[in-house]
Amino acid sequence: MSYNINQHSFWGSLSPLGGLTGAGILIMASARLSWAVTAAGCLFWVYGLTAIAYSFLLSANKYNILPVQGRSAVFTCIAVFFGSIYALLFWLLCPFAAFEVFLILMLVPLFCANSCAHIHSTAGNSHSDIYERLMDAVSMAGTLAGLLAAFSILREPLAFCSLSFPGTYQGMITIMYFSSGSFFPIGIFASSCGALLLLGYFVCLYQYGRNKLYPGEYK
């Protein structure tokens, strides 16, 4: 199975910044590093397990397990199932942290179904195909998780003068705090409008870098 450059996990048209497929979760989950870490774990969990489960269903499709029509709906249902399992496990470990990111965790399967659309459109059933689908899904999850971490590390100190991590009965713990005398908070970055400003700056840098590295590839 081979993919062209438009399907690259970072530079391609299906990437979080290339097609802005991850814009929503970048804005919502990057307000706090603790939210970004939780969402990143959910991304790897959902993308990886969904790709494995769906690939095994494809490999066993000689028994007519999957319908001819509506395979994208089956893929989405599998992603929602694993997303719900992650939310349940995280709620059992840290209820307050789970409540804070519940909406974000429920949106991750939909991002998975959208960005991995080409996975359920392929019909290979060999073990190499299963491995390649898994690696492709994990690379997509890693790209979005890395962007989430970088975005939140920049955004949270600007907005709250701190960095947080999921845990404890309060939902998050502060792992780093910047005093107001040495670091002035910019409250606009705590809201979605500030996140959109930062995202627009990132997208401009991304488009400039993509045009320099791959000139003419996306015309």
Side-chain angles (χ1 to χ4, degrees):
M1 190 188 326
S2 62
Y3 299 119
N4 55 41
I5 196 170
N6 285 330
Q7 294 170 316
H8 192 280
S9 59
F10 183 75
W11 297 112
S13 59
L14 295 175
S15 65
L17 293 181
L20 292 180
T21 57
I25 197 169
L26 279 172
I27 292 172
M28 290 185 289
S30 63
R32 295 281 190 174
L33 178 60
S34 61
W35 298 356
V37 170
T38 304
C42 187
L43 285 168
F44 283 109
W45 174 279
V46 172
Y47 276 63
L49 293 180
T50 302
I52 292 174
Y54 190 81
S55 296
F56 276 108
L57 286 177
L58 279 180
S59 65
N61 200 39
K62 58 184 177 180
Y63 303 107
N64 295 323
I65 296 176
L66 292 176
V68 177
Q69 301 294 330
R71 291 189 176 184
S72 60
V74 174
F75 187 89
T76 304
C77 289
I78 296 174
V80 170
F81 171 76
F82 285 116
S84 301
I85 294 296
Y86 182 90
L88 175 61
L89 294 176
F90 192 70
W91 179 79
L92 293 175
L93 290 174
C94 193
F96 285 104
F99 284 134
E100 288 179 339
V101 294
F102 180 77
L103 177 60
I104 298 172
L105 297 184
M106 291 297 99
L107 289 177
V108 168
L110 301 181
F111 281 98
C112 175
N114 179 59
S115 59
C116 296
H118 62 282
I119 290 180
H120 55 72
S121 64
T122 57
N125 57 10
S126 65
H127 291 291
S128 61
D129 286 332
I130 295 175
Y131 177 78
E132 289 182 17
R133 288 192 192 97
L134 175 61
M135 291 299 100
D136 189 40
V138 170
S139 66
M140 291 181 181
T143 299
L144 185 51
L147 288 172
L148 267 176
F151 205 46
S152 61
I153 288 174
L154 175 63
R155 183 182 172 191
E156 184 176 1
L158 288 175
F160 303 103
C161 280
S162 64
L163 284 175
S164 58
F165 205 78
T168 75
Y169 67 94
Q170 296 179 342
M172 67 176 68
I173 56 176
T174 301
I175 59 175
M176 189 175 296
Y177 181 76
F178 305 94
S179 62
S180 58
S182 60
F183 200 90
F184 185 77
I186 307 175
I188 188 175
F189 291 114
S191 61
S192 59
C193 59
L196 284 170
L197 290 175
L198 285 178
L199 181 61
Y201 180 73
F202 273 117
V203 170
C204 288
L205 291 179
Y206 170 85
Q207 295 291 347
Y208 177 80
R210 187 172 70 172
N211 291 332
K212 289 294 183 180
L213 292 173
Y214 300 104
E217 293 288 350
Y218 295 87
K219 294 181 180 179

